[in-house]
Amino acid sequence: MPSPPPDPARLAVATDGRLTGATGRYTKRLGDMDGVYRDRTAYAEQLAARGADAVVYTVQEQRDVEDDGALIVGTSTLLPGRYGDEFAVTRGHLHARPNRAELYYCLSGTGVMLVDTVDGRTKALPLSPGEAVHVPGHWVHRSVNTGTEPFVTMFCYPADSGQNYALIEAAEGMASLVVDDGAGGWTTRPNPDHRGYDGGSPC
Amino acid sequence: MPSPPPDPARLAVATDGRLTGATGRYTKRLGDMDGVYRDRTAYAEQLAARGADAVVYTVQEQRDVEDDGALIVGTSTLLPGRYGDEFAVTRGHLHARPNRAELYYCLSGTGVMLVDTVDGRTKALPLSPGEAVHVPGHWVHRSVNTGTEPFVTMFCYPADSGQNYALIEAAEGMASLVVDDGAGGWTTRPNPDHRGYDGGSPC
């Protein structure tokens, strides 16, 4: 035992995403989402109407050490929204250490975990309260809110994972879009802007 | 990416511990708990009355690869019980790679996460539905059911953690006992049999 290990943390995980015991949080605002949605006009209209400071999602987390073997636990609260026919999303990422996995457990709302491998596999996994998605390493992943209420998940992943956000931006978006199916639900369609990931040989 | 990563797994996590999408499970029976409780007579009486095959807890889990960075997700369902004034417990363990952390999130019932460091710190952290305990590496840990219903938790930990069960046995139990407080609740008291952990220099 190299140094005294930190105390275990007690957390209260509210279904609305409030995390009592959190050590950190960040908020993404509408102005941070430039370039994320395919329908640039729809995004620009919302930016004009709602303002750049409108909250779009919040992440609360608890972490201790960053040692190999340590975990980060937290909640993600993604507000509902639509940009053209695209549902509201988080920016999404591949872990900087790409083999790091992540668990997402749905606390409230309804959504989708959109996942891609850098070599062309793409999937959309629905999540409702009491359901979880275990995302293995090497999958780019993003939350999508397909409902009308906040989509809240609890997550757990290795503390040394890191996040590579630039990969999706360089690819001009993920391989699939999660869109309105015109019948009150959602479906996916290929993202015509997606140019493939420049990540066939991750570090 | 050394080999194609496994598909993400969708899991349905019932509050009674049923895990749809599990890849494995095991059940501990009363006969497996020999030596775990301090009151040997109380344990022997229950063994005679209920039989060695009586289920005491069940673990269901989902895992994919065992690579560095991979996770195991699952549920633990610990039935209520009393052995003398001691509440029902799981065997408990330190991870074989002792620096591996673990998240426990309570799905139903009420209980305690009992935790010790090998150098003498000991704590008992209560858990009710919607609460979680993040156990850092280097903490021996065990679930305790302090209620009258099954105590069900969802867990998440690194896939390469392993379990060292022998450590607690060699120490003649954990440092504290979780016992009836005589007023409808629980309290802890030092375990007089505990001889300290032979683990000051874990591998």
Side-chain angles (χ1 to χ4, degrees):
Chain A
M1 198 161 50
S3 59
D7 277 345
R10 274 190 78 201
L11 304 168
V13 188
T15 55
D16 67 1
R18 276 174 303 134
L19 184 65
T20 307
T23 56
R25 62 180 286 157
Y26 64 85
T27 296
K28 288 289 165 194
R29 299 177 187 277
L30 192 52
D32 299 322
M33 302 301 278
D34 187 36
V36 168
Y37 295 102
R38 186 154 193 271
D39 187 333
R40 304 294 196 239
T41 307
Y43 173 74
E45 284 170 1
Q46 292 205 32
L47 198 62
R50 298 165 59 197
D53 285 344
V55 172
V56 291
Y57 63 94
T58 302
V59 173
Q60 300 178 53
E61 62 165 39
Q62 186 268 327
R63 61 171 81 196
D64 43 51
V65 293
E66 295 231 348
D67 294 356
D68 180 38
L71 295 170
I72 297 171
V73 180
T75 61
S76 163
T77 302
L78 172 60
L79 299 183
R82 282 275 300 280
Y83 302 83
D85 63 354
E86 242 188 292
F87 288 105
V89 300
T90 58
R91 281 199 299 165
H93 58 267
L94 181 69
H95 290 144
R97 286 194 162 102
N99 71 343
R100 267 45 182 170
E102 187 156 359
L103 171 69
Y104 290 88
Y105 169 78
C106 181
L107 293 163
S108 63
T110 51
V112 166
M113 190 60 56
L114 186 63
V115 297
D116 292 343
T117 58
V118 295
D119 60 357
R121 292 153 74 191
T122 180
K123 290 177 184 287
L125 302 140
L127 275 167
S128 293
E131 295 177 340
V133 170
H134 176 173
V135 182
H138 299 291
W139 286 88
V140 178
H141 50 282
R142 152 182 288 171
S143 298
V144 187
N145 186 338
T146 56
T148 55
E149 301 296 322
F151 175 50
V152 187
T153 53
M154 178 174 69
F155 57 76
C156 180
Y157 67 103
D160 63 359
S161 299
Q163 278 90 13
N164 176 349
Y165 295 110
L167 187 75
I168 297 176
E169 198 175 323
E172 296 192 17
M174 290 183 67
S176 303
L177 305 172
V178 179
V179 297
D180 190 339
D181 69 356
W186 61 273
T187 187
T188 57
R189 68 161 188 264
N191 175 8
D193 295 336
H194 177 69
R195 347 165 16 122
Y197 292 108
D198 181 20
S201 326
C203 60
Chain B
M1 197 161 49
S3 59
D7 277 344
R10 275 190 77 200
L11 303 168
V13 188
T15 56
D16 67 1
R18 275 174 303 134
L19 184 66
T20 306
T23 56
R25 64 180 287 156
Y26 64 85
T27 296
K28 288 288 165 195
R29 299 176 187 278
L30 192 52
D32 299 322
M33 303 300 280
D34 187 37
V36 168
Y37 294 102
R38 185 155 194 270
D39 187 334
R40 304 295 196 239
T41 306
Y43 172 75
E45 284 170 0
Q46 291 206 31
L47 199 61
R50 297 164 60 198
D53 286 342
V55 172
V56 291
Y57 63 94
T58 302
V59 173
Q60 300 178 54
E61 62 165 39
Q62 186 268 327
R63 61 171 80 197
D64 43 52
V65 293
E66 296 231 348
D67 294 355
D68 181 38
L71 296 169
I72 296 170
V73 179
T75 61
S76 163
T77 301
L78 172 59
L79 299 183
R82 283 273 302 280
Y83 302 83
D85 62 355
E86 242 189 291
F87 287 105
V89 300
T90 58
R91 281 199 300 164
H93 58 267
L94 182 68
H95 290 145
R97 286 194 163 101
N99 70 342
R100 268 44 181 170
E102 188 157 358
L103 170 68
Y104 290 88
Y105 169 79
C106 181
L107 293 164
S108 62
T110 52
V112 165
M113 190 60 56
L114 185 64
V115 297
D116 291 344
T117 57
V118 295
D119 60 356
R121 293 153 73 192
T122 179
K123 291 177 182 286
L125 302 141
L127 275 168
S128 293
E131 295 177 338
V133 170
H134 176 173
V135 182
H138 300 291
W139 286 88
V140 179
H141 50 282
R142 152 183 288 171
S143 298
V144 187
N145 187 337
T146 56
T148 55
E149 302 296 321
F151 175 51
V152 186
T153 53
M154 180 174 69
F155 57 76
C156 180
Y157 67 103
D160 63 0
S161 299
Q163 278 88 13
N164 175 350
Y165 295 110
L167 187 75
I168 296 177
E169 198 174 322
E172 298 193 18
M174 290 183 66
S176 303
L177 304 172
V178 179
V179 297
D180 190 339
D181 69 356
W186 61 272
T187 188
T188 57
R189 67 161 188 264
N191 175 9
D193 295 335
H194 178 68
R195 349 167 12 125
Y197 293 107
D198 181 21
S201 326
C203 58

